[in-house]
Amino acid sequence: MAPIGKRRWAIAEGYIPTWSHGPEPELKSHETACILNAGDHDAHVRIMVYFSDKEAAGPYEITVPARRTKHVRFNDLQQPHPIPRGTDFSSVIESDVPVVVQHTRLDSRQDANALLSTIAYPGGD
Amino acid sequence: MAPIGKRRWAIAEGYIPTWSHGPEPELKSHETACILNAGDHDAHVRIMVYFSDKEAAGPYEITVPARRTKHVRFNDLQQPHPIPRGTDFSSVIESDVPVVVQHTRLDSRQDANALLSTIAYPGGD
Amino acid sequence: MAPIGKRRWAIAEGYIPTWSHGPEPELKSHETACILNAGDHDAHVRIMVYFSDKEAAGPYEITVPARRTKHVRFNDLQQPHPIPRGTDFSSVIESDVPVVVQHTRLDSRQDANALLSTIAYPGGD
Amino acid sequence: MAPIGKRRWAIAEGYIPTWSHGPEPELKSHETACILNAGDHDAHVRIMVYFSDKEAAGPYEITVPARRTKHVRFNDLQQPHPIPRGTDFSSVIESDVPVVVQHTRLDSRQDANALLSTIAYPGGD
């Protein structure tokens, strides 16, 4: 049976809250792309980040080994340069093998944290 | 490779909370359609808004430039007329080039904000 | 252009919280199926509700007029009988014309409300 | 009409919060896969759980009877062994008949609970 997933995904929402409330790292505000590679070959993943008022940044390169998941915090992306906080963005994720991508944010700016999540948009085979 | 996305999307949920709690603009209650245009041509987008008890409003016209994202707050739509607060609605988003749409709400009516998000429903090529 | 949507949808999650905190009706805990009918013919909708330990209930019958939305609170369904609170359920929504369905919950059991939302699963043309 | 759903699904996000706040079992932090079997044959379901740094665990075996739903808490899975708390994971759900899967988390680590939900990714017929 073919490995589950697609090679191209998009997340139209993106925003790293600028402050946090509660113990870190668990409750630090973060924006995440969870990438599942359930297949038998390592996934070489490239993330492009799009902004409202300047050219896209990237690619940010990540390897998700075979039969592993990686929950990538946009907060932690450093190369080619960090994602600015408090700024609207979107992302496109491309992989050389099928993966499944889900988008999650934890926002702990106020006394109790808020969460959002959605399977990303699968845009290519 | 074809640009990612579709030309027609729907968001069946829609509601702008009528009050807020916390510093603005970050924590003002809002309802958002995040629109990613990862292609090389500007996207001319038209949003129709549907209500439970009157004819649909719109089109609200927005341009999302090539390789840019726009996080459109329904709160800010003014022409042809503002969206009423505290009212159930839905929306259909049409574009002349492929885009990706994601729906997000931040509700800060109580002491700590709540969030929801989902990729919209892709309804046409 | 064909009206947007599908004729059959499923929501696997379902749960009406048993208590609330905050002003009603806005902040009463509720479970909702938002149904958009963007077409030119009224939608005759039938909802079946599935439980973990007894036969399914329904159909609950709802009309969504042409070019209208209806945000149906499961709390308010009465015929053939109310949905029990604090009980796991799922639902299947069928319509005679294409509609778009999105699932939302507002949970106000604690001091600040929580939200979840997702486009439902489109299961048939 | 064919029963609604697919035989293979993926949830790329997965995390069981390590503490809770509020009355149990309703407000105990939990991670759930809601599985709807709207068909007339029992569904024999197998869940594989993927981690970031070790081999996948499972299969966890569950039966969802015909015309029933089961909201499976990952917290409760015991065989072949419990899922660790506070650890990133993903899951793949396979069934011998079509089912619909939705992912939900309730996080009650702070004073007010947070919720997330999304229909899972349908990866096979």
Side-chain angles (χ1 to χ4, degrees), chain B residues 3-124:
Chain B
I4 194 166
K6 297 284 182 181
R7 291 195 180 83
R8 196 158 60 137
W9 296 80
I11 303 170
E13 171 66 276
Y15 185 86
I16 303 173
T18 46
W19 71 92
S20 298
H21 175 95
E24 299 194 4
E26 296 95 331
L27 287 165
K28 183 181 173 76
S29 289
H30 59 264
E31 184 85 356
T32 301
C34 301
I35 305 174
L36 167 62
N37 175 12
D40 290 328
H41 298 280
D42 292 358
H44 302 94
V45 175
R46 296 159 62 96
I47 302 176
M48 290 296 297
V49 177
Y50 294 84
F51 299 101
S52 63
D53 57 359
K54 56 181 175 185
E55 278 297 322
Y60 296 89
E61 300 186 334
I62 293 152
T63 298
V64 185
R67 300 178 304 282
R68 295 291 185 279
T69 186
K70 193 165 279 188
H71 294 205
V72 179
R73 289 192 183 195
F74 287 91
N75 308 42
D76 295 339
L77 297 177
Q78 295 293 339
Q79 294 298 335
H81 46 70
I83 313 284
R85 273 55 179 165
T87 299
D88 293 341
F89 64 88
S90 296
S91 53
V92 172
I93 295 106
E94 295 186 334
S95 170
D96 57 350
V97 297
V99 294
V100 179
V101 178
Q102 186 169 344
H103 169 227
T104 300
R105 182 185 302 156
L106 184 149
D107 175 354
S108 65
R109 291 176 294 181
Q110 292 184 319
D111 281 356
N113 63 310
L115 290 171
L116 64 78
S117 191
T118 182
I119 293 288
Y121 173 72

Side-chain angles (χ1 to χ4, degrees), chain A residues 115, chain D residues 13-15 17 30-32 103-107 114-116:
Chain A
L115 291 171
Chain D
E13 170 67 276
Y15 184 86
H30 58 265
E31 184 86 355
T32 301
H103 169 226
T104 300
R105 181 186 303 157
L106 185 148
D107 174 355
L115 290 171
L116 65 78

